[in-house]
mmCIF file of all heavy atoms in Angstrom:
data_model
loop_
_atom_site.group_PDB
_atom_site.id
_atom_site.type_symbol
_atom_site.label_atom_id
_atom_site.label_comp_id
_atom_site.label_asym_id
_atom_site.label_seq_id
_atom_site.Cartn_x
_atom_site.Cartn_y
_atom_site.Cartn_z
ATOM 1 N N PRO A 434 -53.401 26.234 -5.235
ATOM 2 C CA PRO A 434 -54.185 27.250 -4.538
ATOM 3 C C PRO A 434 -53.344 28.013 -3.517
ATOM 4 O O PRO A 434 -52.550 27.391 -2.783
ATOM 5 C CB PRO A 434 -55.296 26.459 -3.869
ATOM 6 C CG PRO A 434 -55.444 25.229 -4.728
ATOM 7 C CD PRO A 434 -54.044 24.919 -5.203
ATOM 8 N N LEU A 435 -53.502 29.333 -3.472
ATOM 9 C CA LEU A 435 -52.685 30.155 -2.569
ATOM 10 C C LEU A 435 -52.826 29.729 -1.112
ATOM 11 O O LEU A 435 -51.894 29.924 -0.309
ATOM 12 C CB LEU A 435 -53.113 31.637 -2.700
ATOM 13 C CG LEU A 435 -52.284 32.659 -1.933
ATOM 14 C CD1 LEU A 435 -50.832 32.636 -2.390
ATOM 15 C CD2 LEU A 435 -52.886 34.062 -2.113
ATOM 16 N N PHE A 436 -53.944 29.118 -0.802
ATOM 17 C CA PHE A 436 -54.205 28.604 0.536
ATOM 18 C C PHE A 436 -53.037 27.753 1.049
ATOM 19 O O PHE A 436 -52.654 27.798 2.210
ATOM 20 C CB PHE A 436 -55.518 27.799 0.508
ATOM 21 C CG PHE A 436 -55.680 26.833 1.608
ATOM 22 C CD1 PHE A 436 -56.043 27.240 2.876
ATOM 23 C CD2 PHE A 436 -55.536 25.463 1.411
ATOM 24 C CE1 PHE A 436 -56.249 26.320 3.903
ATOM 25 C CE2 PHE A 436 -55.701 24.535 2.394
ATOM 26 C CZ PHE A 436 -56.062 24.969 3.662
ATOM 27 N N TYR A 437 -52.449 26.961 0.118
ATOM 28 C CA TYR A 437 -51.378 26.049 0.516
ATOM 29 C C TYR A 437 -50.077 26.780 0.895
ATOM 30 O O TYR A 437 -49.277 26.226 1.627
ATOM 31 C CB TYR A 437 -51.119 25.017 -0.587
ATOM 32 C CG TYR A 437 -51.960 23.792 -0.418
ATOM 33 C CD1 TYR A 437 -52.992 23.489 -1.278
ATOM 34 C CD2 TYR A 437 -51.675 22.897 0.633
ATOM 35 C CE1 TYR A 437 -53.750 22.328 -1.105
ATOM 36 C CE2 TYR A 437 -52.426 21.742 0.817
ATOM 37 C CZ TYR A 437 -53.484 21.458 -0.043
ATOM 38 O OH TYR A 437 -54.218 20.340 0.121
ATOM 39 N N LYS A 438 -49.911 27.985 0.413
ATOM 40 C CA LYS A 438 -48.694 28.731 0.818
ATOM 41 C C LYS A 438 -48.741 28.987 2.327
ATOM 42 O O LYS A 438 -47.717 28.849 3.009
ATOM 43 C CB LYS A 438 -48.622 30.037 0.061
ATOM 44 C CG LYS A 438 -47.375 30.853 0.366
ATOM 45 C CD LYS A 438 -47.290 32.119 -0.502
ATOM 46 C CE LYS A 438 -46.003 32.884 -0.198
ATOM 47 N NZ LYS A 438 -45.892 34.108 -1.045
ATOM 48 N N TYR A 439 -49.904 29.323 2.827
ATOM 49 C CA TYR A 439 -50.030 29.603 4.269
ATOM 50 C C TYR A 439 -50.113 28.291 5.091
ATOM 51 O O TYR A 439 -49.680 28.284 6.245
ATOM 52 C CB TYR A 439 -51.302 30.456 4.499
ATOM 53 C CG TYR A 439 -51.218 31.751 3.732
ATOM 54 C CD1 TYR A 439 -51.936 31.938 2.572
ATOM 55 C CD2 TYR A 439 -50.346 32.767 4.151
ATOM 56 C CE1 TYR A 439 -51.815 33.111 1.833
ATOM 57 C CE2 TYR A 439 -50.238 33.954 3.424
ATOM 58 C CZ TYR A 439 -50.972 34.124 2.289
ATOM 59 O OH TYR A 439 -50.846 35.291 1.532
ATOM 60 N N VAL A 440 -50.580 27.231 4.461
ATOM 61 C CA VAL A 440 -50.474 25.930 5.084
ATOM 62 C C VAL A 440 -49.007 25.562 5.317
ATOM 63 O O VAL A 440 -48.635 25.120 6.409
ATOM 64 C CB VAL A 440 -51.170 24.838 4.241
ATOM 65 C CG1 VAL A 440 -50.837 23.432 4.784
ATOM 66 C CG2 VAL A 440 -52.677 25.036 4.249
ATOM 67 N N LEU A 441 -48.184 25.791 4.322
ATOM 68 C CA LEU A 441 -46.759 25.480 4.419
ATOM 69 C C LEU A 441 -46.050 26.377 5.455
ATOM 70 O O LEU A 441 -45.162 25.951 6.158
ATOM 71 C CB LEU A 441 -46.089 25.640 3.049
ATOM 72 C CG LEU A 441 -46.369 24.537 2.028
ATOM 73 C CD1 LEU A 441 -45.922 24.927 0.665
ATOM 74 C CD2 LEU A 441 -45.683 23.257 2.475
ATOM 75 N N MET A 442 -46.472 27.619 5.515
ATOM 76 C CA MET A 442 -45.828 28.565 6.409
ATOM 77 C C MET A 442 -46.181 28.348 7.881
ATOM 78 O O MET A 442 -45.363 28.538 8.774
ATOM 79 C CB MET A 442 -46.183 30.002 6.015
ATOM 80 C CG MET A 442 -45.590 30.432 4.695
ATOM 81 S SD MET A 442 -46.232 32.039 4.121
ATOM 82 C CE MET A 442 -45.704 33.124 5.446
ATOM 83 N N ALA A 443 -47.411 27.921 8.148
ATOM 84 C CA ALA A 443 -47.860 27.855 9.533
ATOM 85 C C ALA A 443 -48.517 26.529 9.918
ATOM 86 O O ALA A 443 -48.118 25.884 10.899
ATOM 87 C CB ALA A 443 -48.860 28.999 9.786
ATOM 88 N N VAL A 444 -49.519 26.091 9.129
ATOM 89 C CA VAL A 444 -50.289 24.918 9.532
ATOM 90 C C VAL A 444 -49.435 23.660 9.617
ATOM 91 O O VAL A 444 -49.455 22.941 10.590
ATOM 92 C CB VAL A 444 -51.516 24.711 8.614
ATOM 93 C CG1 VAL A 444 -52.279 23.468 9.016
ATOM 94 C CG2 VAL A 444 -52.411 25.930 8.620
ATOM 95 N N ALA A 445 -48.687 23.373 8.514
ATOM 96 C CA ALA A 445 -47.918 22.151 8.453
ATOM 97 C C ALA A 445 -46.795 22.108 9.537
ATOM 98 O O ALA A 445 -46.647 21.099 10.223
ATOM 99 C CB ALA A 445 -47.306 21.987 7.064
ATOM 100 N N PRO A 446 -46.057 23.219 9.734
ATOM 101 C CA PRO A 446 -45.042 23.167 10.830
ATOM 102 C C PRO A 446 -45.643 22.931 12.223
ATOM 103 O O PRO A 446 -45.112 22.164 12.991
ATOM 104 C CB PRO A 446 -44.366 24.539 10.734
ATOM 105 C CG PRO A 446 -44.600 25.004 9.350
ATOM 106 C CD PRO A 446 -45.948 24.436 8.962
ATOM 107 N N VAL A 447 -46.776 23.613 12.487
ATOM 108 C CA VAL A 447 -47.412 23.405 13.800
ATOM 109 C C VAL A 447 -47.935 21.988 13.913
ATOM 110 O O VAL A 447 -47.790 21.330 14.955
ATOM 111 C CB VAL A 447 -48.573 24.423 13.993
ATOM 112 C CG1 VAL A 447 -49.396 24.076 15.239
ATOM 113 C CG2 VAL A 447 -48.037 25.833 14.073
ATOM 114 N N PHE A 448 -48.502 21.484 12.828
ATOM 115 C CA PHE A 448 -49.002 20.097 12.780
ATOM 116 C C PHE A 448 -47.882 19.106 13.125
ATOM 117 O O PHE A 448 -48.013 18.219 13.961
ATOM 118 C CB PHE A 448 -49.573 19.801 11.396
ATOM 119 C CG PHE A 448 -50.589 18.681 11.355
ATOM 120 C CD1 PHE A 448 -51.628 18.729 10.434
ATOM 121 C CD2 PHE A 448 -50.519 17.600 12.217
ATOM 122 C CE1 PHE A 448 -52.564 17.705 10.357
ATOM 123 C CE2 PHE A 448 -51.450 16.572 12.152
ATOM 124 C CZ PHE A 448 -52.475 16.625 11.243
ATOM 125 N N VAL A 449 -46.743 19.288 12.495
ATOM 126 C CA VAL A 449 -45.604 18.371 12.682
ATOM 127 C C VAL A 449 -45.058 18.508 14.131
ATOM 128 O O VAL A 449 -44.669 17.498 14.731
ATOM 129 C CB VAL A 449 -44.490 18.648 11.663
ATOM 130 C CG1 VAL A 449 -43.248 17.789 11.968
ATOM 131 C CG2 VAL A 449 -44.991 18.319 10.243
ATOM 132 N N MET A 450 -45.002 19.749 14.632
ATOM 133 C CA MET A 450 -44.517 19.949 16.005
ATOM 134 C C MET A 450 -45.451 19.270 17.027
ATOM 135 O O MET A 450 -44.972 18.680 18.009
ATOM 136 C CB MET A 450 -44.351 21.429 16.300
ATOM 137 C CG MET A 450 -43.102 22.020 15.654
ATOM 138 S SD MET A 450 -42.759 23.735 16.193
ATOM 139 C CE MET A 450 -43.965 24.627 15.251
ATOM 140 N N ILE A 451 -46.755 19.349 16.765
ATOM 141 C CA ILE A 451 -47.702 18.675 17.664
ATOM 142 C C ILE A 451 -47.506 17.156 17.551
ATOM 143 O O ILE A 451 -47.500 16.449 18.602
ATOM 144 C CB ILE A 451 -49.149 19.040 17.287
ATOM 145 C CG1 ILE A 451 -49.420 20.515 17.607
ATOM 146 C CG2 ILE A 451 -50.152 18.163 18.002
ATOM 147 C CD1 ILE A 451 -50.750 21.033 17.149
ATOM 148 N N LEU A 452 -47.343 16.662 16.351
ATOM 149 C CA LEU A 452 -47.108 15.247 16.144
ATOM 150 C C LEU A 452 -45.857 14.803 16.863
ATOM 151 O O LEU A 452 -45.836 13.766 17.563
ATOM 152 C CB LEU A 452 -46.996 14.926 14.647
ATOM 153 C CG LEU A 452 -46.650 13.517 14.268
ATOM 154 C CD1 LEU A 452 -47.721 12.526 14.718
ATOM 155 C CD2 LEU A 452 -46.489 13.397 12.752
ATOM 156 N N LEU A 453 -44.794 15.586 16.750
ATOM 157 C CA LEU A 453 -43.516 15.254 17.395
ATOM 158 C C LEU A 453 -43.650 15.315 18.925
ATOM 159 O O LEU A 453 -43.153 14.439 19.636
ATOM 160 C CB LEU A 453 -42.435 16.195 16.923
ATOM 161 C CG LEU A 453 -41.015 15.929 17.413
ATOM 162 C CD1 LEU A 453 -40.541 14.540 17.050
ATOM 163 C CD2 LEU A 453 -40.063 16.991 16.872
ATOM 164 N N ALA A 454 -44.335 16.361 19.420
ATOM 165 C CA ALA A 454 -44.512 16.473 20.870
ATOM 166 C C ALA A 454 -45.351 15.331 21.422
ATOM 167 O O ALA A 454 -45.045 14.756 22.483
ATOM 168 C CB ALA A 454 -45.189 17.819 21.193
ATOM 169 N N GLY A 455 -46.416 14.953 20.674
ATOM 170 C CA GLY A 455 -47.245 13.849 21.114
ATOM 171 C C GLY A 455 -46.510 12.525 21.112
ATOM 172 O O GLY A 455 -46.625 11.711 22.051
ATOM 173 N N THR A 456 -45.690 12.317 20.062
ATOM 174 C CA THR A 456 -44.905 11.081 19.998
ATOM 175 C C THR A 456 -43.874 11.034 21.105
ATOM 176 O O THR A 456 -43.658 9.976 21.745
ATOM 177 C CB THR A 456 -44.187 10.998 18.637
ATOM 178 O OG1 THR A 456 -45.152 11.112 17.605
ATOM 179 C CG2 THR A 456 -43.449 9.665 18.487
ATOM 180 N N THR A 457 -43.213 12.150 21.368
ATOM 181 C CA THR A 457 -42.226 12.241 22.449
ATOM 182 C C THR A 457 -42.851 11.913 23.804
ATOM 183 O O THR A 457 -42.299 11.193 24.632
ATOM 184 C CB THR A 457 -41.563 13.643 22.493
ATOM 185 O OG1 THR A 457 -40.985 13.925 21.233
ATOM 186 C CG2 THR A 457 -40.496 13.693 23.583
ATOM 187 N N TYR A 458 -44.061 12.506 24.037
ATOM 188 C CA TYR A 458 -44.775 12.229 25.309
ATOM 189 C C TYR A 458 -45.117 10.752 25.460
ATOM 190 O O TYR A 458 -44.924 10.161 26.510
ATOM 191 C CB TYR A 458 -46.032 13.092 25.341
ATOM 192 C CG TYR A 458 -46.884 12.846 26.573
ATOM 193 C CD1 TYR A 458 -46.527 13.333 27.827
ATOM 194 C CD2 TYR A 458 -48.055 12.072 26.495
ATOM 195 C CE1 TYR A 458 -47.280 13.080 28.944
ATOM 196 C CE2 TYR A 458 -48.823 11.799 27.614
ATOM 197 C CZ TYR A 458 -48.442 12.330 28.837
ATOM 198 O OH TYR A 458 -49.203 12.046 29.941
ATOM 199 N N GLU A 459 -45.648 10.162 24.349
ATOM 200 C CA GLU A 459 -46.001 8.760 24.369
ATOM 201 C C GLU A 459 -44.786 7.881 24.641
ATOM 202 O O GLU A 459 -44.852 6.903 25.387
ATOM 203 C CB GLU A 459 -46.675 8.342 23.084
ATOM 204 C CG GLU A 459 -48.105 8.854 22.911
ATOM 205 C CD GLU A 459 -48.821 8.185 21.772
ATOM 206 O OE1 GLU A 459 -48.178 7.555 20.916
ATOM 207 O OE2 GLU A 459 -50.084 8.316 21.725
ATOM 208 N N TYR A 460 -43.655 8.224 24.049
ATOM 209 C CA TYR A 460 -42.431 7.491 24.274
ATOM 210 C C TYR A 460 -41.968 7.628 25.717
ATOM 211 O O TYR A 460 -41.530 6.676 26.353
ATOM 212 C CB TYR A 460 -41.310 7.981 23.347
ATOM 213 C CG TYR A 460 -41.315 7.365 21.966
ATOM 214 C CD1 TYR A 460 -42.493 6.805 21.414
ATOM 215 C CD2 TYR A 460 -40.177 7.298 21.197
ATOM 216 C CE1 TYR A 460 -42.488 6.243 20.158
ATOM 217 C CE2 TYR A 460 -40.179 6.750 19.928
ATOM 218 C CZ TYR A 460 -41.349 6.198 19.413
ATOM 219 O OH TYR A 460 -41.354 5.645 18.155
ATOM 220 N N TYR A 461 -42.111 8.836 26.280
ATOM 221 C CA TYR A 461 -41.689 9.068 27.639
ATOM 222 C C TYR A 461 -42.555 8.265 28.639
ATOM 223 O O TYR A 461 -42.056 7.580 29.532
ATOM 224 C CB TYR A 461 -41.756 10.561 27.979
ATOM 225 C CG TYR A 461 -41.464 10.888 29.428
ATOM 226 C CD1 TYR A 461 -40.155 10.876 29.910
ATOM 227 C CD2 TYR A 461 -42.500 11.183 30.320
ATOM 228 C CE1 TYR A 461 -39.872 11.156 31.230
ATOM 229 C CE2 TYR A 461 -42.227 11.480 31.643
ATOM 230 C CZ TYR A 461 -40.913 11.462 32.110
ATOM 231 O OH TYR A 461 -40.643 11.735 33.427
ATOM 232 N N VAL A 462 -43.882 8.366 28.449
ATOM 233 C CA VAL A 462 -44.803 7.645 29.314
ATOM 234 C C VAL A 462 -44.614 6.134 29.194
ATOM 235 O O VAL A 462 -44.701 5.401 30.185
ATOM 236 C CB VAL A 462 -46.285 8.009 28.980
ATOM 237 C CG1 VAL A 462 -47.259 7.126 29.737
ATOM 238 C CG2 VAL A 462 -46.527 9.484 29.315
ATOM 239 N N GLY A 463 -44.316 5.689 27.969
ATOM 240 C CA GLY A 463 -44.145 4.251 27.765
ATOM 241 C C GLY A 463 -42.764 3.718 28.152
ATOM 242 O O GLY A 463 -42.496 2.555 28.010
#
Side-chain angles (χ1 to χ4, degrees):
L435 186 61
F436 160 76
Y437 268 110
K438 183 176 182 179
Y439 301 104
V440 168
L441 285 167
M442 292 172 62
V444 178
V447 171
F448 203 148
V449 174
M450 285 189 283
I451 291 173
L452 176 61
L453 183 59
T456 305
T457 303
Y458 176 76
E459 286 192 345
Y460 275 25
Y461 175 76
V462 172

